Amino acid sequence: MSEEGFTPAAGQESIPRQLATFAGFRQAMLEALAGPGMGALVGWRAREGEDLGLMLLEMGAYVFDVLAFYDEVIAHETYLRTARQRSSLRKLVGLLGYRPRPAVAASVRLAILADGRQPLVLPRGMAFRSGGFDGQPPQVFELDEDSRVEPLASRWRLESQPASSHSADRQSFLARQGVRLVSGERVLCLGAGGPRVARRVQAVTPEQGEDGGQYLRVTLTDPTPGGAKSHPASDAGPLRLLRPEQAAGLWTLQTDTHVTSTTLTLNTVYRQLQPGDDVFVTVGVQTAAFQVSSVTESSKSISVGSSTNSDGKTVFHTAEVPVTVLKLSGTWPFGSVLPGKVGVHFGFSEVAHEASPLRSTVGVTDPLVLQPPVEKPGVEPSRVLVRDADGRGLAARASFDFRQRRISTFLPEGERPPLRVPVEVYGNVVDASRGETVPLEVLGSGNASVPHPSFKLQKKPLTWRVTKDGKLVSTLQVWVGGILWQEVPSFFGQGPDARVYVLRTDDEEQTFVTFGDGQHGARLPTGVDNVVASYRFGAGAASPPAGSIHQLVQPVPGVLAVKNPVAAAGGADALPAALIRQYGPRSALVLGRAVSIADMEAVAADSPGVRAVRADWDWSPGMQRAVVLIRYIGPESLRDAVRARVRGMCEPSTPVDAVPATARKAVLALELEVAPRYQVAPVLAEVRRVLAEPVEGLLSPERIGIGVPLYRSRLLAAVVAVEGVSKVTAVTWNDKPFSQFALSPGTGSYFDLEEQGDLVLNGRGHHG
């Protein structure tokens, strides 16, 4: 109860203005009765509950308790750091000229499927409706501008590319059904960019291919001694197996010479053998493939009998037998062997051909080939939307080579993942934003005698959207007496005849239109129902996911269907109180021009859909120079808007780029001991709120920051400050003990515990 209690230290987030409660005030007044100046009350000793004097004293204590409570509450709402109510924050930052961002509409790229051959022009304001999602009602999106649609560019399908089915060592591959191979037989293997080699069939088993077709898996073994490669030829293309249909032996008569080289004398003439032919040489179970280098004919003498001549001597008779002599490629791999153990096989015919099942995915580097028929549209699309069989969507810049049925240039937003077939490509891409049009709403009647008249829009929230240059504009248009008036940020500097108005939005997202007083801004002319407005309503962070916008609000001739392969993005709720407190003072320092890094961060942070920002000088590979690189937490689709917003506030020569920050998966697990007199579930719920609540939570993207370390001491301090937590018994980070004093996500990255990661308290996470 001392005066020091009224002078809190600077930088506190609460002001201890409530000096005491009922018990404290009651005790203080009773003790004061014994002090000087109390007169007759000094001797008053009544302390019973029914004493009238005591009742009056306790009534005073109750009043002082209530007054002290509200004194603290009101004091909190007086300062920016301590204010709890959004209305108080809005009024405080309003003194700086800062207008908190209202709720902003999401935007979406839609694919239009049209009928016929003639192009269509879809009018601005054409409306599409989503289905309900995540507990949200359906939303309406309208075209931002007139859009040309080419029926011939409505939809294409990408061709599946054939997949190689052989193993890296070429000892396994897929063949089509009907192949007749015998386990153990020798075959010549060629293709797949490797040399021709001998193989032995080990097994032939049924297998289902990537495309769902039935194939045979052929498994081979290498029968070549030491894996020798004696054939000089190599072949591209798919693997093929060839079976020898003919065989020959070596000359074995009247010889005991071992074979040690690739010059082979056959047992007869084989004129079907020619230079360049393939042959097998077998020695027992070993086999090697060779190419015939040369073929010559020779002869061998053999004994055919004997006789006795007139002199009584024995005469031996011989005959010349023609034989074929082969000179083979390479080196002899079998060592020294007897001719009778050597076999020569030739006359090959194909018995198996590698099948190439169509791939189930379009890979990152695969060519993008359109299935026929393909007809060139009148105007080639420069943007496309892509959707695969799993519902994964992409938006990309593209160019086409319609003669080759190819997408020659494909520049997706973000990384291009593998796409599961069938993959559809849509060429009629139009831009739409959330909001349903109220065509002509009578706001009221003008009265020239009333300054600053104000009118309330019937629908809420008013749709605000982001333009291509990053500016935030409303969809409201106001006519007075049939003349269009202009919206301005404030009446400052406006002349007495300026036909202008200002917009203000309260904390219930109700919008008010206010006109001038005849000195700053013109007064409304007197009339009946002469103030009319047209606007769109609907905004907020909740946005339809991919595939949920599929309905035309009104049928349009020639339009068959609408799709959104990519989710809507860029929507944002009205700026929450915590961010008003953070960005209000920073934005006031910008003064209409971003000069410093901090200025650029403040401008980027006010972009709808952006949750956190970090700006640094960094090297840009694309621009090949040092730039102010704006890293932000938000979807890739916001990149152009963030960059345009910052560039619009900088000197034109300032190099600026924007990229999404990299999310680092993080799973934080805490084991907490709760005091016995507290229920466990409410305490854990409060810990989760303190750590993970959007915007306010210590681990929310808005507070965890980009490239900022997470300090263990700060984390533990926030947890043990929750009433009911006795102590933290264990802390793990990605299943490892969090024993370091801090963890850093790295430059340009942030810890993601919302989408990819989790916060686990006593074994339970928010993902279940």
Side-chain angles (χ1 to χ4, degrees):
M1 298 283 301
S2 64
E3 289 297 323
E4 286 76 4
F6 293 96
T7 56
Q12 292 185 346
E13 295 186 358
S14 63
I15 303 174
R17 293 277 294 187
Q18 187 173 3
L19 302 182
T21 59
F22 167 79
F25 284 116
R26 181 181 184 275
Q27 182 64 30
M29 286 190 290
L30 288 174
E31 291 176 355
L33 291 176
M38 291 293 106
L41 292 176
V42 173
W44 179 51
R45 294 290 183 269
R47 297 295 184 267
E48 294 78 12
E50 296 181 357
D51 183 82
L52 178 60
L54 185 62
M55 292 175 60
L56 291 174
L57 183 142
E58 290 181 345
M59 289 175 63
Y62 276 119
V63 172
F64 298 148
D65 187 353
V66 172
L67 288 176
F69 171 78
Y70 281 106
D71 178 68
E72 180 174 300
V73 170
I74 294 171
H76 280 157
E77 301 307 308
T78 309
Y79 300 95
L80 191 63
R81 182 182 290 273
T82 59
R84 308 292 200 263
Q85 302 296 321
R86 189 176 188 276
S87 57
S88 301
L89 287 166
R90 182 166 47 82
K91 292 174 183 176
L92 289 170
V93 297
L95 298 174
L96 303 173
Y98 178 69
R99 294 175 60 188
R101 187 195 66 222
V104 180
S107 59
V108 69
R109 283 158 293 194
L110 300 175
I112 304 297
L113 278 62
D115 192 17
R117 300 181 59 84
Q118 298 302 315
L120 308 174
V121 177
L122 306 183
R124 175 184 178 184
M126 181 177 173
F128 309 89
R129 181 177 286 113
S130 75
F133 60 94
D134 299 335
Q136 299 288 328
Q139 295 180 1
V140 172
F141 286 73
E142 295 184 358
L143 292 185
D144 295 329
E145 56 189 21
D146 293 348
S147 302
R148 179 188 173 99
V149 170
E150 291 278 352
L152 295 178
S154 291
R155 174 167 51 191
W156 299 285
R157 184 166 286 185
L158 294 181
E159 283 188 348
S160 298
Q161 300 299 309
S164 172
S165 67
H166 63 265
S167 60
D169 59 4
R170 304 193 306 159
Q171 294 194 175
S172 174
F173 69 96
L174 290 182
R176 294 202 175 275
Q177 296 278 6
V179 170
R180 290 187 174 89
L181 289 171
V182 179
S183 179
E185 72 170 307
R186 299 179 176 95
V187 290
L188 179 65
C189 178
L190 62 155
R196 299 183 184 184
V197 293
R199 290 287 185 261
R200 186 183 296 274
V201 177
Q202 183 180 48
V204 180
T205 55
E207 183 174 315
Q208 186 175 13
E210 256 191 88
D211 58 359
Q214 296 301 317
Y215 299 88
L216 295 175
R217 171 65 65 180
V218 180
T219 306
L220 308 170
T221 59
D222 186 357
T224 307
K229 303 296 186 291
S230 51
H231 201 300
S234 296
D235 303 274
L239 278 181
R240 294 183 293 146
L241 300 184
L242 281 65
R243 175 190 292 149
E245 303 291 348
Q246 301 178 60
L250 299 191
W251 180 265
T252 60
L253 296 176
Q254 300 175 348
T255 181
D256 57 359
T257 303
H258 285 63
V259 180
T260 58
S261 71
T262 55
T263 300
L264 304 179
T265 302
L266 304 186
N267 56 9
T268 187
V269 175
Y270 295 91
R271 292 191 172 91
Q272 62 268 50
L273 283 169
Q274 300 294 323
D277 285 355
D278 300 314
V279 296
F280 273 172
V281 176
T282 61
V283 177
V285 297
Q286 296 182 330
T287 307
F290 296 88
Q291 186 178 67
V292 177
S293 299
S294 65
V295 181
T296 58
E297 287 192 11
S298 183
S299 62
K300 288 288 187 179
S301 297
I302 62 172
S303 176
V304 294
S306 62
S307 62
T308 304
N309 61 14
S310 58
D311 296 332
K313 294 181 178 180
T314 301
V315 178
F316 294 95
H317 301 283
T318 61
E320 294 296 318
V321 178
V323 294
T324 296
V325 179
L326 299 181
K327 175 63 178 175
L328 305 181
S329 61
T331 58
W332 185 253
F334 300 105
S336 178
V337 294
L338 291 172
K341 294 185 178 181
V342 178
V344 178
H345 304 264
F346 57 95
F348 291 89
S349 62
E350 184 174 304
V351 291
H353 192 102
E354 179 186 4
S356 298
L358 295 178
R359 296 180 58 180
S360 61
T361 60
V362 177
V364 175
T365 59
D366 287 348
L368 303 180
V369 183
L370 307 178
Q371 288 184 5
V374 174
E375 190 172 348
K376 182 178 179 180
V379 176
E380 294 185 18
S382 59
R383 298 186 299 165
V384 295
L385 295 173
V386 178
R387 184 178 186 274
D388 73 354
D390 294 333
R392 182 186 289 111
L394 286 178
R397 297 279 179 182
S399 61
F400 292 78
D401 181 350
F402 284 100
R403 288 188 177 182
Q404 299 294 325
R405 295 188 291 109
R406 288 176 176 266
I407 300 178
S408 51
T409 304
F410 188 79
L411 303 174
E413 291 181 352
E415 296 182 357
R416 172 184 162 186
L419 302 172
R420 186 167 296 279
V421 296
V423 180
E424 293 184 334
V425 180
Y426 306 97
N428 289 324
V429 182
V430 298
D431 296 309
S433 57
R434 183 183 172 187
E436 188 172 355
T437 294
V438 177
L440 291 174
E441 178 182 301
V442 176
L443 297 183
S445 301
N447 186 343
S449 65
V450 178
H452 292 307
S454 185
F455 302 89
K456 182 176 71 173
L457 301 183
Q458 294 180 13
K459 301 287 187 179
K460 68 176 185 178
L462 173 66
T463 296
W464 292 75
R465 64 186 187 88
V466 180
T467 62
K468 292 182 179 180
D469 58 359
K471 294 181 179 179
L472 190 63
V473 297
S474 77
T475 55
L476 177 68
Q477 291 183 304
V478 177
W479 291 267
V480 179
I483 300 175
L484 182 66
W485 286 40
Q486 181 182 1
E487 177 191 342
V488 293
S490 73
F491 290 119
F492 178 77
Q494 301 296 326
D497 298 322
R499 293 170 174 168
V500 296
Y501 60 90
V502 297
L503 297 181
R504 292 294 181 264
T505 303
D506 63 16
D507 296 321
E508 284 71 43
E509 297 188 318
Q510 190 69 61
T511 300
F512 296 85
V513 184
T514 303
F515 296 88
D517 59 359
Q519 295 183 3
H520 302 285
R523 292 197 180 202
L524 286 178
T526 300
V528 178
D529 294 341
N530 61 335
V531 183
V532 179
S534 174
Y535 59 95
R536 291 161 61 185
F537 69 95
S543 303
S548 60
I549 302 176
H550 46 70
Q551 182 181 358
L552 278 68
V553 174
Q554 295 291 336
V556 176
V559 177
L560 298 177
V562 61
K563 298 178 180 291
N564 71 310
V566 178
D573 295 328
L575 200 65
L579 297 185
I580 293 177
R581 184 182 297 112
Q582 178 180 351
Y583 295 144
R586 292 175 60 183
S587 297
L589 297 176
V590 174
L591 298 176
R593 176 64 65 184
V595 178
S596 66
I597 291 288
D599 294 343
M600 297 179 194
E601 282 188 353
V603 172
D606 208 29
S607 301
V610 171
R611 304 185 64 180
V613 168
R614 174 73 178 268
D616 297 287
W617 281 100
D618 207 339
W619 179 260
S620 171
M623 300 175 69
Q624 285 295 295
R625 62 175 299 181
V627 300
V628 178
L629 187 60
I630 309 293
R631 295 184 174 94
Y632 65 92
I633 300 178
E636 169 76 25
S637 57
L638 299 180
R639 180 177 180 177
D640 290 343
V642 172
R643 182 167 47 203
R645 187 176 181 87
V646 176
R647 284 179 175 174
M649 297 288 286
C650 297
E651 285 292 330
S653 60
T654 305
V656 176
D657 200 3
V659 294
T662 302
R664 302 292 185 194
K665 178 181 177 181
V667 178
L668 172 65
L670 299 171
E671 290 295 327
L672 309 177
E673 186 176 298
V674 178
R677 61 193 181 94
Y678 288 88
Q679 289 184 327
V680 174
V683 173
L684 295 184
E686 178 62 14
V687 172
R688 187 175 300 280
R689 186 197 67 79
V690 168
L691 296 181
E693 184 181 30
V695 182
E696 298 277 4
L698 178 65
L699 303 178
S700 67
E702 289 83 356
R703 291 192 63 187
I704 202 167
I706 300 171
V708 178
L710 174 63
Y711 292 94
R712 185 174 184 271
S713 58
R714 186 182 179 196
L715 171 66
L716 296 180
V719 173
V720 298
V722 175
E723 186 176 0
V725 176
S726 295
K727 62 180 178 179
V728 180
T729 59
V731 185
T732 62
W733 185 269
N734 290 336
D735 298 326
K736 295 181 180 179
F738 187 176
S739 56
Q740 308 94 314
F741 76 95
L743 293 169
S744 174
T747 303
S749 302
Y750 68 98
F751 292 127
D752 180 10
L753 289 90
E754 284 189 348
E755 297 184 8
Q756 300 183 31
D758 204 352
L759 172 62
V760 181
L761 301 178
N762 288 6
R764 295 184 62 86
H766 63 255
H767 294 320

